[in-house]
Amino acid sequence: MRARDKTAVSALRATLAALDNAEAVPVDEAGLRGGALEHAPVGAGATEAARRELSESHVIDVVRAEAAERLEAAVQLTAHADRAAQLRAEAAVLLRFLDGPGTA
């Protein structure tokens, strides 16, 4: 990243966001309705929900899905060759991380 590889930075930022989303716990909508204000949580972090811990296989699935999404979008963007090439390059960055340690 020190070389300011914009493709790698873009792919990794999006994938980190996807992993963060995958760790999110669904909010129980029933718990949000009908509560009195005096029973509402108060203070810093009072409304924070515990995050799910993703297994290694789930992380790999998310990264593969991100790469697949870019490859699919690249196919659809053949008229926009520059964007399609960028998406293919981002997918290649992500897939390198799955090939094993030290290959990225």
Side-chain angles (χ1 to χ4, degrees):
M1 296 318 120
R2 291 180 187 256
R4 299 193 189 269
D5 183 349
K6 291 181 181 181
T7 299
V9 169
S10 175
L12 294 174
R13 279 187 180 153
T15 301
L16 287 173
L19 288 168
D20 193 43
N21 287 341
E23 291 174 338
V25 177
V27 177
D28 179 18
E29 290 186 27
L32 297 176
R33 295 189 182 137
L37 183 60
E38 61 270 10
H39 297 294
V42 178
T47 58
E48 293 291 321
R51 308 284 289 176
R52 286 188 277 194
E53 288 211 21
L54 301 179
S55 67
E56 184 175 340
S57 65
H58 194 165
V59 170
I60 289 170
D61 290 344
V62 170
V63 175
R64 283 192 200 285
E66 287 292 306
E69 182 179 310
R70 282 163 174 71
L71 291 172
E72 183 180 326
V75 168
Q76 294 176 3
L77 291 173
T78 54
H80 304 284
D82 292 343
R83 180 66 177 139
Q86 179 183 358
L87 290 168
R88 284 189 190 94
E90 288 181 9
V93 167
L94 296 174
L95 293 173
R96 276 196 317 246
F97 281 96
L98 297 176
D99 288 340
T103 60

